[in-house]
Amino acid sequence: MNPSDADPKLDIIFVPARTDTPVGSIVLLHGWGANHDDLGDLVPYFNLPEYQFLFPNGIFDHEYSDEGKMWYSFTGAGELTDLSRAQLATSREVLREWVQSLPDSTGIPLDRTWIAGFSQGGAMTLEIGLDLPVAGLIVMSGYLHQDRPKPESVAPPVEIVPGTKDDVVPIVAARSSRDKLTEWGIEVRYQEFEMGHSIVPEVLDVIRAFVTK
């Protein structure tokens, strides 16, 4: 089965490994208003040729962009409304079921599958990944939902990579997420960069080291 066809609810870009026997899978979740093409251009720069990449599209159309997608909507103040909470619940269910189905479609077990996300995609990474037996979670300029409950089982290790000059997701959100995850007993690796709401080459180096540790 082509991993792109694993769930009809998700529009997925699948980038195969450049080897016959992939070492692992990396799922990348885009941010609010972007789409699965947004992070796809980064594949060569990850320098992980033995890994296959999967880029799911957000399941909701963005309110202000014809091509943009989102996992849930925001208000102007960034708070969750009843609508956005319902959308979050739907995205959480769809993404979780899809990730759990990946071993059947890719041949790669969950313990060799990483979930990564940028901005809202980073929030969704924590939302679904803390309860899954995956290899690790990577949060780029993202955050932990404030009402996200503590995982009931042992959570995978988390790499958080925020920007100190981020004017979209402030650095305090990343530090708060780090502190809460650490309080829950989760292994957290944390490294700040002097950058805005973006992904600089040094971030990709950190991710590569985390995945290939």
Side-chain angles (χ1 to χ4, degrees), residues 32-172:
W32 186 72
N35 57 44
H36 55 10
D37 295 319
D38 185 54
L39 298 175
D41 292 340
L42 293 177
V43 170
Y45 302 100
F46 279 108
N47 193 22
L48 293 168
E50 296 179 335
Y51 292 77
Q52 54 192 15
F53 289 80
L54 299 102
F55 302 87
N57 228 5
I59 62 177
F60 296 103
D61 292 333
H62 193 260
E63 298 105 324
Y64 313 119
S65 170
D66 292 337
E67 297 181 356
K69 296 289 185 177
M70 62 184 183
W71 303 107
Y72 55 89
S73 60
F74 283 118
T75 66
E79 298 295 331
L80 296 184
T81 64
D82 289 343
L83 172 61
S84 54
R85 289 182 185 280
Q87 291 172 334
L88 170 59
T90 299
S91 289
R92 179 175 58 236
E93 179 181 1
V94 170
L95 277 174
R96 183 177 292 165
E97 290 181 357
W98 172 68
V99 170
Q100 289 174 319
S101 75
L102 286 180
D104 291 335
S105 60
T106 67
I108 303 296
L110 287 183
D111 62 8
R112 286 197 282 126
T113 299
W114 283 259
I115 306 176
F118 176 75
S119 193
Q120 190 183 73
M124 291 306 302
T125 294
L126 294 174
E127 185 70 22
I128 66 169
L130 290 174
D131 297 310
L132 294 174
V134 294
L137 309 176
I138 301 161
V139 181
M140 298 173 284
S141 300
Y143 51 93
L144 178 71
H145 292 127
Q146 293 184 357
D147 55 356
R148 207 286 181 199
K150 179 181 178 180
E152 296 181 359
S153 57
V154 177
V158 179
E159 177 80 58
I160 301 177
V161 194
T164 57
K165 295 183 177 180
D166 194 330
D167 58 358
V168 177
V169 179
I171 191 64
V172 65

